[in-house]
Amino acid sequence: LVDPATNLTQLGWLYVDDGIIGDFGEGTPPHAILDKASQLVDAQGDMLCPGLIDLRSHAPGGSLHPHQVNQLLTAARPFGITSLCLYTQVTDAAALAYIGDLGPQKAGHVYFFPPFNHPDDETRMVDIGLLQRAGAAAFANGGPSVRHTAHLRRSLLYARDFDALVCLQPMDPYLSDGDMHEGQMATRLGLVGIPKLAETLELERLLKLIQDTQSTAHIDMISSRDAVDLLARFPMVTASVGIHHLLMNHIDVGEYRTFAKMQPPLRDEQDRLALIEAVKNRCIHAVVSANKSLGEDAKRVPFGEAEFGAVGVDLLLPGMLALYHEGQLSLPQALYPLTAGPANILGIPTGHLQKGYRADLLLVDVEAPIRLGEADGFGDNHPMKGRMLQGVVKQSFVEGRPHA
């Protein structure tokens, strides 16, 4: 058993009662538990841990239907994701309620993050109250925040009145108008660089506004050591990082590899190491896939014309386990930002091995090899396609229901 929330690592047992964790303990289960159990599952030495929560994944373009959402959840479960947070452009409450009606046999849990402001007019706030009642778990633009500071401040105050979680990405739209991290690599390739200032300048503005409005806000996807240093001064604010930014740096752009074109961009090696350290000390609370499926017309073009985004769903678990195998993180440290961290941000009863919590669980062989880039349903724009890592999900459970 591994519970990242409490750093528990022990040989033991766990009892599921009507979709929730009924009890767990060390060693073999007592006879009282065995007598109540209708089914026994032998983990055969594999790790039992909470199911993964991907705090940021992008919904496919166009209209979204419940069947498509269930397909995404079904495709994500073999990689340990039992809860998926979908960034969507839906601003109509009735439409959001419709696509969230997945039925009793849903393949997992979905949490919708509609925009904070209307995509076509940043001065117009969405109806937060109606969208919350329709199933919105948080609000996020998935890109630059409102430029007009007075409008943004009013929006944060409005969200505070509904106790709504707002995810803000620190990205100055003008300084971020480039191709890759600003440095020698960008100069050699003749590409427009994106300085770290594009992140830190906007981050300072956002942190001051969060402090002033006392709103519940989350800083979405940082990429630099300077951003980590800024966040250390605001311990009440949570933050996330993309899994690619913990495993790759700007050198991985190589010879114009558009699959490695992301926003924020991959930074230098010192930034990557600082982000890992921030995960270790829980200055960063969540690691996300930021999964964005793109076709050939968006990626197999000249670098400057390619869209930002990469596949990352199949990378979350083996990527964090790679940091464990390398000795950079302990097993609970590697799993915390995929389980308890995002669960705490969302305020949902999962992500912990705790009595009364949802029995969203995984059985994982942490040593088994897995080849990246073979996931169906998430596009082929995978920057680490073909790479061999370790960590195979043997079985997942959503509210106690098994899925091989």
Side-chain angles (χ1 to χ4, degrees), residues 86-143:
L86 277 182
Y87 280 45
T88 174
Q89 293 300 300
V90 176
T91 57
D92 180 77
L96 189 68
Y98 165 69
I99 62 177
D101 186 11
L102 305 181
Q105 296 302 312
K106 60 187 178 183
H109 305 283
V110 63
Y111 298 92
F112 293 106
F113 286 30
F116 186 36
N117 302 85
H118 281 273
D120 56 344
D121 183 2
E122 68 170 25
T123 64
R124 288 178 59 210
M125 291 178 279
V126 297
D127 195 322
I128 288 178
L130 279 178
L131 287 166
Q132 279 183 321
R133 288 195 290 274
F139 297 84
N141 285 352

Side-chain angles (χ1 to χ4, degrees), residues 275-294:
L275 293 171
I276 294 172
E277 187 64 25
V279 168
K280 185 176 181 178
N281 62 32
R282 296 188 183 177
C283 180
I284 289 176
H285 309 81
V287 175
V288 304
S289 75
N291 192 87
K292 190 173 184 180
S293 303
L294 297 170

Side-chain angles (χ1 to χ4, degrees), residues 249-267:
N249 62 34
H250 67 130
I251 303 300
D252 288 296
V253 170
E255 295 300 318
Y256 305 99
R257 293 182 64 241
T258 58
F259 286 9
K261 184 177 181 180
M262 307 172 199
Q263 189 67 277
L266 297 169
R267 299 290 184 186

Side-chain angles (χ1 to χ4, degrees), residues 20-83:
I20 65 171
I21 298 174
D23 205 352
F24 64 94
E26 191 173 5
T28 57
H31 289 296
I33 293 292
L34 292 173
D35 291 342
K36 290 191 293 183
S38 60
Q39 181 184 2
L40 295 176
V41 177
D42 184 358
Q44 298 181 333
D46 290 333
M47 174 182 70
L48 181 69
C49 68
L52 308 189
I53 303 165
D54 185 1
L55 200 61
R56 176 170 178 168
S57 185
H58 292 270
S63 59
L64 198 60
H65 302 279
H67 178 64
Q68 288 175 290
V69 175
N70 251 327
Q71 284 183 323
L72 288 172
L73 292 171
T74 300
R77 275 187 66 169
F79 305 104
I81 297 171
T82 56
S83 296

